[in-house]
Amino acid sequence: MDLKLFGEVFVTLLVITDPPGMMPIFLALTGPLPARERNRAAWQAVALALGVIVVFAVAGQTLLAYLHVSLPALQAAGGLLLVLVALELLTGKADDPGQQATSNIALVPLGTPLLAGPGAIVATMLFVQRADGPTDYTAIAAAIVAVMVAVWIVLRFSGGIVKVLRPGGIEVLTRIAGLLLAAIAVQLIADAVAAFVRDYLQMG
């Protein structure tokens, strides 16, 4: 296995998924839930993210070409999805755990587009394109799994922070997370628009 490539993929995906940055958003969405439900949400989110990244690594280019979808379009869609979640967090509509099933939170927005977002998908597809032979593919696969394990560990043990913060702290954290999520969403959409304009100018 190519350890240099493993390290490169691991660091890149770890920076993109940003487990410490994910923690406040994860806690904001799952804070009111019982510990068991929160742990379930953590592994469901990581499992979905791993599945999405693997699918795009194996068949991403073919899938996007078949659907006539460009990477900027995927990025803009992810941004719009995050805007909706950010508005829920900022207006307090996400505070009632009875309104949302754990699996829904785990799948959207945690699994995708937060963990398996446009950044992680594009980075993985680029690494796969560069890969040459089974040893490179093994290194990429091992790095993806290692990143997901690291994310799961961070999310799984975030429960201790909930106990320290109490309901008041969770509410403050929810608003901050909503603001951060809105900023991430706007950045995704802005990058997508810039890419669309760049492509249009190149065609012109």
Side-chain angles (χ1 to χ4, degrees), residues 62-136:
T62 310
L63 192 63
L64 292 180
Y66 177 75
L67 295 171
H68 302 293
V69 172
S70 66
L71 288 174
L74 191 70
Q75 202 167 348
L80 290 172
L81 196 56
L82 288 186
V83 165
L84 294 176
V85 179
L87 288 174
E88 276 194 6
L89 291 175
L90 287 168
T91 55
K93 287 182 182 170
D95 289 349
D96 181 6
Q99 287 183 351
Q100 37 186 226
T102 314
S103 57
N104 291 350
I105 299 168
L107 304 180
V108 179
L110 290 175
T112 182
L114 282 174
L115 288 175
I121 288 169
V122 172
T124 306
M125 284 167 63
L126 291 175
F127 279 121
V128 169
Q129 279 180 355
R130 274 175 42 197
D132 182 26
T135 52
D136 284 1

Side-chain angles (χ1 to χ4, degrees), residues 25 49 112 117 132 161 177 187:
I25 297 164
T112 182
D132 182 26
I161 297 168
Q187 189 61 58

Side-chain angles (χ1 to χ4, degrees), residues 11-25:
V11 170
T12 303
L13 288 181
L14 198 67
V15 168
I16 292 171
T17 52
D18 185 21
M22 269 291 296
M23 199 187 289
I25 297 164

Side-chain angles (χ1 to χ4, degrees), residues 150-175:
V151 170
W152 178 79
I153 289 169
V154 170
L155 298 185
R156 170 67 180 77
F157 294 103
S158 61
I161 297 168
V162 173
K163 291 175 186 169
V164 174
L165 289 174
R166 309 293 171 108
I170 289 288
E171 194 171 332
V172 171
L173 193 66
T174 301
R175 302 295 178 262

